[in-house]
Amino acid sequence: MNKTCPFFGKCGGCKFDFTATDYKQQKMQTLANVPTTGDTIWIAPGARRRADFAFTGRDFGLFESGTKNIIPVRNCPNVVDEINNILPALADLPWGGAGACLITLCDNGIDITITSSVPYFTPEFRDAAIKLPAIRITWNDKIIKQIEQPIVNFSGHVVPYPSGAFLQPSVAGADALRHLVVSRAAGARRVADLFCGLGNFTFALNADGFDIVGTGMTRDLFKKPLTVGMLNNYDTVVMDPPRAGAQAQCKELVKSDVRRIIYVSCNPATFMRDADTLTRGGYRLTELVPVDQFAGSMHWELFGVFDKNN
């Protein structure tokens, strides 16, 4: 990267210029109050395999920073080539209403998930959309086009990709986190993978997975966290919750016999809140590694390890 993004300072996708020579120093300042250990893992820009665009009427692109105005983006330097290749044709569709368009590069092609306050799409839109080089297109869960089931691969396990499901934003980032999790869980007798999603960690750990959708047992861990009796079946727990964190689950964990908690977070604020619960309850934060999963943005992924105090 040696060229400033032409949209930087206009669209709200990035808060930092990831092409700047001092980008890393600028972004690290946002973690000034987070007790990190070890080296930061930097994921190269241009690796994002999923991107969320907006449309209003016939306008398609990314929101201007701080407004609902749409900046027409037909090539984003922060996403993979496969997404950029489809953007011009996607932007030229006869859009109507307003909403979001999530583009995801799966292992076997492009998946497009459209959500809109308008419950229907026009015949004109359908006829144009089916010509796009995508393997599936949905509008508010209604399938416009599907030529095959989108899939993703985790540690050699092929998993169907549900429309709009969570996926780590880059393959490199997912691989880096999986390596950290697996290495720190080495020697564990039995592992619970909480908020496991589609299974980025579950298969590699041979773990019991729990989540609302995806790999493993269906359980809403916000409303029904694993109880102490359930947790005591495990010596290691892995958690990768949404941005809201895992407050209810942490309150159960501190009463359990779980020796090690590996916590992956996309929100430093809720991570630090939950870390306070865990450390007050007898755990010690032994490792905290930042991962720049979201190049250019204010967001961080954190990888933390908590060990039970003897």
Side-chain angles (χ1 to χ4, degrees), residues 174-310:
D175 290 348
L177 289 169
R178 190 184 318 110
H179 173 76
L180 286 169
V181 169
V182 170
S183 64
R184 296 338 184 247
R189 175 181 52 84
R190 191 175 178 191
V191 181
D193 185 9
L194 309 185
F195 308 96
C196 65
L198 299 181
N200 186 34
F201 310 132
T202 318
F203 300 111
L205 295 168
N206 193 27
D208 294 336
F210 299 85
D211 208 337
I212 298 174
V213 296
T215 299
M217 288 160 271
T218 301
R219 191 178 182 93
D220 186 339
L221 296 170
F222 289 105
K223 296 179 180 178
K224 293 179 62 179
L226 263 62
T227 63
V228 173
M230 299 173 73
L231 290 167
N232 285 342
N233 292 314
Y234 305 96
D235 56 341
T236 298
V237 163
V238 175
M239 299 192 296
D240 186 6
R243 291 186 60 78
Q247 189 172 36
Q249 188 63 76
C250 287
K251 290 178 179 178
E252 292 296 311
L253 278 162
V254 297
K255 296 181 286 186
S256 76
D257 297 329
V258 173
R259 292 174 41 247
R260 171 164 283 192
I261 300 168
I262 301 172
Y263 192 155
V264 177
S265 169
C266 60
N267 186 343
T270 54
F271 176 90
M272 294 304 296
R273 178 203 66 200
D274 293 346
D276 183 66
T277 298
L278 294 174
T279 53
R280 287 176 181 271
Y283 287 91
R284 180 168 55 94
L285 179 60
T286 57
E287 187 174 9
L288 184 54
V289 177
V291 181
D292 188 24
Q293 272 266 62
F294 313 94
S297 77
M298 291 284 290
H299 301 300
W300 282 97
E301 197 88 25
L302 295 179
F303 169 85
V305 178
F306 296 85
D307 288 320
K308 195 83 165 181
N309 288 330
N310 295 326

